[in-house]
């Protein structure tokens, strides 16, 4: 049995060296300014030089600003959905006591009963359609919420590279995103993991 290959590899790396990984990724658990062997979230997002680091920082700024864009789109959808729900059963389909009394006086009791029956039928149909709209809206809002949660955890992973420049890029992205997408939203609303 030939042990020369085993001895050449050393006991620690067991043949899983740079060949398999495409280069080593430096995983810091302490704050650092170094970008040497830095991998950002994925092994394939590896910093190979100053230019790739600069492009990565720009991408991080854009990604973080995009989070604010998703939040803004969600707020707009929620407002539009609430408006659709509130206007779904507008004044044209509701019946007041005065409207019911007028047909009784003018057209007699039978016309009033027929009119009230049609109004209640349209109210039931309207209520069913409103319920379907509410369910569809809730599903869409849940999907948007899930995207926000995923996105916020992704940003957290960017921050957890513990690299100072990456952390600053996240903050700059949040700053730019707020400027572009805030539309009067209070600044107290922060990026959060959940």
């Amino acid at each position: 049995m030939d042990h020369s290959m085993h001895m050449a590899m050393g006991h620690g790396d067991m043949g899983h060296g740079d060949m398999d990984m495409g280069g080593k990724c430096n995983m810091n658990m302490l704050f650092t300014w170094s970008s040497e062997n830095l991998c950002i979230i994925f092994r394939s997002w590896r910093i190979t030089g100053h230019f790739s680091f600069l492009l990565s920082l720009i991408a991080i700024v854009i990604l973080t600003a995009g989070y604010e864009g998703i939040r803004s789109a969600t707020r707009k959808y929620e407002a539009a959905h609430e408006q659709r729900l509130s206007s779904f059963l507008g004044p044209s389909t509701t019946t007041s006591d005065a409207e019911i009394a007028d047909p009784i006086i003018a057209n007699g009791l039978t016309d009033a009963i027929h009119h009230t029956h049609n109004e209640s039928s349209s109210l039931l149909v309207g209520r069913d359609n409103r319920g379907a709209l509410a369910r569809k809206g809730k599903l869409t809002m849940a999907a948007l919420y899930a995207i926000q949660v995923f996105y916020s955890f992704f940003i957290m992973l960017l921050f957890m590279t513990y690299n100072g420049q990456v952390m600053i890029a996240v903050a700059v992205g949040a700053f730019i995103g707020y400027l572009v997408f805030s539309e009067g939203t209070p600044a107290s609303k922060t990026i959060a993991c959940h």
Side-chain angles (χ1 to χ4, degrees):
M1 184 189 258
D2 184 17
H3 294 283
S4 61
M5 186 173 163
H6 179 68
M7 293 304 217
M9 287 190 302
H11 293 288
D13 69 23
M14 300 300 284
H16 301 291
D18 290 341
M19 266 186 351
D20 293 338
M21 290 195 267
K24 290 186 178 182
C25 290
N26 188 4
M27 299 294 291
N28 289 308
M29 295 303 287
L30 299 171
F31 182 80
T32 183
W33 290 101
S34 174
S35 63
E36 186 178 337
N37 295 323
L38 176 64
C39 291
I40 300 175
I41 300 178
F42 307 106
R43 188 174 308 237
S44 59
W45 191 354
R46 186 170 178 268
I47 305 303
T48 57
H50 294 297
F51 185 69
S52 68
F53 191 48
L54 179 63
L55 287 178
S56 294
L57 292 177
I58 292 169
I60 290 167
V61 167
I62 292 168
L63 281 168
T64 308
Y67 175 75
E68 291 299 322
I70 293 291
R71 287 182 56 211
S72 175
T74 301
R75 285 190 300 269
K76 285 179 182 178
Y77 179 81
E78 287 175 347
H81 180 67
E82 285 300 318
Q83 188 176 17
R84 280 191 301 271
L85 285 178
S86 66
S87 68
F88 194 82
L89 291 176
S92 63
T93 57
T94 58
T95 306
S96 68
D97 291 338
E99 290 174 328
I100 292 173
D102 284 343
I104 293 173
I105 295 168
N107 299 326
L109 187 58
T110 56
D111 288 342
I113 292 170
H114 180 68
H115 177 73
T116 305
H117 175 71
N118 286 341
E119 285 296 321
S120 64
S121 296
S122 67
L123 285 174
L124 290 175
V125 171
R127 206 174 304 136
D128 291 342
N129 290 339
R130 187 178 191 279
L133 181 66
R135 286 188 296 277
K136 181 183 174 190
K138 187 163 184 148
L139 283 173
T140 303
M141 286 187 286
L144 289 169
Y145 179 73
I147 291 168
Q148 284 185 63
V149 169
F150 178 83
Y151 212 143
S152 65
F153 277 109
F154 189 84
I155 292 170
M156 179 196 65
L157 291 174
L158 288 170
F159 210 83
M160 287 181 62
T161 61
Y162 294 100
N163 182 283
Q165 290 100 328
V166 172
M167 291 175 169
I168 289 171
V170 168
V172 168
F175 175 80
I176 291 171
Y178 183 79
L179 286 178
V180 173
F181 299 110
S182 69
E183 300 170 9
T185 305
S188 62
K189 193 77 169 163
T190 61
I191 275 184
C193 295
H194 189 68

